[in-house]
Amino acid sequence: MRKADRLFQIVQILRRARRHPVTAEALAQELETSKRSVYRDIAALMAQRVPIRGEAGMGYVLDHGFDLPPLMLTPDEIEAAVLGAQWVSRRADPLLARAALDLIAKIGQAVPERLRPYAAEPAATAPPSWNLQPDAIDMAQTRQAIRTGRKIALDYRDEQGRETKRLIWPVTIGYFDTVRMIVAWCELRRDFRTFRTDRVLGAQFLDERYPERPSLLRAKWQKAQRSQPSCEA
């Protein structure tokens, strides 16, 4: 790998790790090079005023706010983005599906011409979804409630056919091959629960914000997921 490519990949790895330190050993393993080369490359990036913090033995982080040109994409990155967008276009609600198709078109127009075949004719493709269950709740409004930390009042029918009323703090939406699930903190159960979007009988999107920051609530759910899976309703 050329040095310029290696420097670019180091920045990408640090961006991917967000604010978690990445050791020189981990960088060397992914880049298939020596730790000595990593140390030299980190020093070169710092000399170019790339805002990297850390030291040998402790790991490195990339400070928030550093941006590379947005479409410096490799062929594999283009195909990964297109494959993901294809999957979304065939399984998401209509608004998000259209956005995924728009994304594929934008990638094909924005990358250099020599890379356009990777977007127009990718080597991998996402198959169509069979028996996809229709949503019984406005998914665009649900995503907005997640972003803004607002409560949703649900009329819901569980897998046994029992109808209940729930006041939830939505965390995220899980997309599966045939169904979509809203992950939320349920005030009735006082715990995280999942709600299939096709089993919603009615929904009221409230102006009331829940007391947690959305990012903090999501972190709590992720921690809970590591100890036990979420339960439906």
Side-chain angles (χ1 to χ4, degrees), residues 210-222:
Y210 50 76
E212 299 272 15
R213 293 198 311 273
S215 59
L216 182 58
L217 185 64
R218 190 172 297 110
K220 288 183 177 180
W221 167 67
Q222 290 170 340

Side-chain angles (χ1 to χ4, degrees), residues 152-199:
I152 305 174
L154 288 183
D155 293 319
Y156 188 74
R157 180 185 291 121
D158 66 18
E159 61 184 344
Q160 280 81 38
R162 298 171 298 196
E163 296 183 12
T164 59
K165 293 183 180 294
R166 304 296 180 93
L167 193 58
I168 65 170
W169 308 355
V171 175
T172 190
I173 301 168
Y175 287 81
F176 299 90
D177 275 337
T178 59
V179 298
R180 286 170 283 277
M181 310 282 282
I182 301 171
V183 179
W185 175 267
C186 176
E187 291 192 2
L188 177 66
R189 301 301 188 198
R190 300 186 62 80
D191 201 354
F192 291 105
R193 288 291 187 269
T194 59
F195 300 87
R196 280 181 48 162
T197 61
D198 60 311
R199 291 179 179 163

Side-chain angles (χ1 to χ4, degrees), residues 92-162:
D93 59 277
L95 187 63
L96 203 58
R98 285 196 299 272
L101 294 175
D102 288 345
L103 174 61
I104 294 173
K106 286 180 179 179
I107 291 172
Q109 289 298 313
V111 298
E113 188 169 354
R114 65 182 178 82
L115 295 176
R116 289 178 183 173
Y118 292 97
E121 300 173 358
T125 187
S129 178
W130 303 103
N131 299 319
L132 184 64
Q133 300 301 306
D135 299 308
I137 184 173
D138 188 316
M139 298 302 289
Q141 283 191 272
T142 302
R143 291 194 297 274
Q144 184 62 17
I146 291 170
R147 297 185 192 107
T148 58
R150 286 183 164 83
K151 298 182 181 182
I152 305 174
L154 288 183
D155 293 319
Y156 188 74
R157 180 185 291 121
D158 66 18
E159 61 184 344
Q160 280 81 38
R162 298 171 298 196

Side-chain angles (χ1 to χ4, degrees), residues 53-113:
R53 291 185 292 108
E55 57 186 43
M58 299 296 294
Y60 301 93
V61 296
L62 183 67
D63 278 345
H64 180 72
F66 177 73
D67 285 315
L68 290 172
L71 287 172
M72 289 179 62
L73 301 178
T74 67
D76 285 343
E77 288 169 343
I78 293 170
E79 290 206 332
V82 171
L83 180 61
Q86 284 180 347
W87 195 95
V88 171
S89 73
R90 294 166 184 175
R91 288 164 179 81
D93 59 277
L95 187 63
L96 203 58
R98 285 196 299 272
L101 294 175
D102 288 345
L103 174 61
I104 294 173
K106 286 180 179 179
I107 291 172
Q109 289 298 313
V111 298
E113 188 169 354

